[in-house]
Amino acid sequence: MVTSPAGIASTVINVKGLTNRFGQQVVHDHLDLEVRQREILGVVGGSGTGKSVLLRSLVGLHTPNEGTVEIFGQQLQSLNPSQRSALERRLGVLFQGGALFTSLTLLENVALPLIEHIKLSRSDAEHLARTKLALVGLPADSADKYPAMLSGGMVKRAALARALVLDPEILFLDEPTSGLDPIGAAAFDQLIVTLRNALGFTVFLVTHDLDTLYTACDRVAVLADRKVLITDTMARVEAVNNDWIKAYFHGPRGRKARTAANSEKEV
């Protein structure tokens, strides 16, 4: 992570007093959260805690009822369309299902943001799109295939290439390993870490995958009781005296993921 002269990592996302309501249901109640530059922050919580709603609030797809979202020191809600568009180009989003256009090839899917947002010619956009597809580990012949012709893992990688095509400074991932087999999920986790280390972007990662939390995340934020219960390293999160944390991190699957991660570090 990038740190300030005082040794404190710079904050790139600052959420204050965020409240999200849907009718009588309160999903977030004055939630606070900070995301640091170049970290991989994993966001977890039980069903209904609003993990994906939080992500959508941060990227501007959902307008919160109260509170502020600052990204790079700018309040998303107060920006005019031109300013907001400029800020959004600094963000990349990978949705849970990939959200690729099924009628477009992978090459066309990845090239589209370059054509739409920065008005590149089709040939230039496709040249850069091929580079991004290679960056995420896809073979050259995948470029001309349609999403329906590919495995779930390849679709996820193509969606990642599209999220990265504008060289974002923050990458938002919504359940990126959902639906992948354990080998594919582990490879995707390692890809995210490798790309973060090489390119220096920040990652906001919503997940339920314990292996991802232990192997890829620098810090973990736990959503509970409509707020962020804790944001800290895995070791400190595990030590919190909370029933959900105990059940989630200290159950059989949590112990297995922790053991596997520790074994990997020792190799």
Side-chain angles (χ1 to χ4, degrees):
M1 291 182 287
V2 175
T3 58
S4 67
I8 304 299
S10 302
T11 298
V12 292
I13 301 175
N14 193 3
V15 181
K16 292 291 186 184
L18 188 76
T19 297
N20 280 309
R21 292 187 295 268
F22 297 92
Q24 297 299 312
Q25 181 187 9
V26 179
V27 179
H28 303 130
D29 185 14
H30 294 89
L31 177 152
D32 297 334
L33 178 68
E34 290 186 357
V35 184
R36 299 170 181 170
Q37 190 172 15
R38 292 193 66 176
E39 77 172 339
I40 299 178
L41 176 71
V43 179
V44 298
S47 178
T49 53
K51 301 180 292 294
S52 293
V53 173
L54 176 58
L55 184 151
R56 291 171 64 84
S57 298
L58 298 189
V59 301
L61 293 176
H62 174 76
T63 302
N65 298 92
E66 298 176 36
T68 59
V69 175
E70 284 189 2
I71 301 181
F72 303 119
Q74 302 180 75
Q75 284 196 23
L76 194 63
Q77 300 95 321
S78 65
L79 299 179
N80 64 41
S82 176
Q83 293 170 327
R84 184 163 179 153
S85 178
L87 178 60
E88 288 173 346
R89 286 198 293 271
R90 301 171 71 184
L91 314 177
V93 185
L94 191 160
F95 296 101
Q96 185 170 342
L100 296 177
F101 293 106
T102 57
S103 60
L104 302 181
T105 65
L106 296 195
L107 184 65
E108 291 168 335
N109 264 285
V110 178
L112 186 61
L114 295 167
I115 297 170
E116 290 290 321
H117 294 294
I118 58 177
K119 310 303 180 185
L120 283 188
S121 67
R122 185 183 180 92
S123 61
D124 287 343
E126 290 187 349
H127 174 74
L128 288 175
R130 290 184 190 278
T131 301
K132 295 301 183 184
L133 288 168
L135 183 68
V136 300
L138 287 172
D141 63 0
S142 68
D144 297 321
K145 294 181 179 179
Y146 292 90
M149 302 166 65
L150 303 174
S151 68
M154 294 181 76
V155 168
K156 294 273 189 178
R157 287 175 182 256
L160 178 61
R162 186 177 64 182
L164 292 172
V165 76
L166 294 177
D167 296 323
E169 295 167 63
I170 305 176
L171 182 63
F172 294 88
L173 307 177
D174 191 3
E175 299 282 5
T177 58
S178 175
L180 301 183
D181 63 78
I183 294 174
F188 197 90
D189 289 340
Q190 187 54 57
L191 174 63
I192 294 300
V193 174
T194 299
L195 291 174
R196 185 281 306 268
N197 292 345
L199 302 177
F201 51 70
T202 301
V203 180
F204 180 96
L205 190 160
V206 171
T207 188
H208 69 279
D209 192 328
L210 283 155
D211 291 318
T212 298
L213 294 172
Y214 278 101
T215 61
C217 297
D218 299 302
R219 294 193 304 151
V220 176
V222 178
L223 300 187
D225 299 323
R226 299 182 293 279
K227 291 181 170 63
V228 175
L229 179 65
I230 182 173
T231 307
D232 215 322
T233 62
M234 182 63 74
R236 289 176 177 168
V237 168
E238 288 176 335
V240 173
N241 184 18
N242 172 271
D243 289 342
W244 188 86
I245 286 178
K246 288 178 181 178
Y248 190 69
F249 290 104
H250 297 282
R253 293 180 63 195
R255 291 195 297 270
K256 182 179 178 181
R258 182 167 55 252
T259 299
N262 289 338
S263 298
E264 211 170 275
K265 291 174 183 176
E266 293 171 1
V267 174

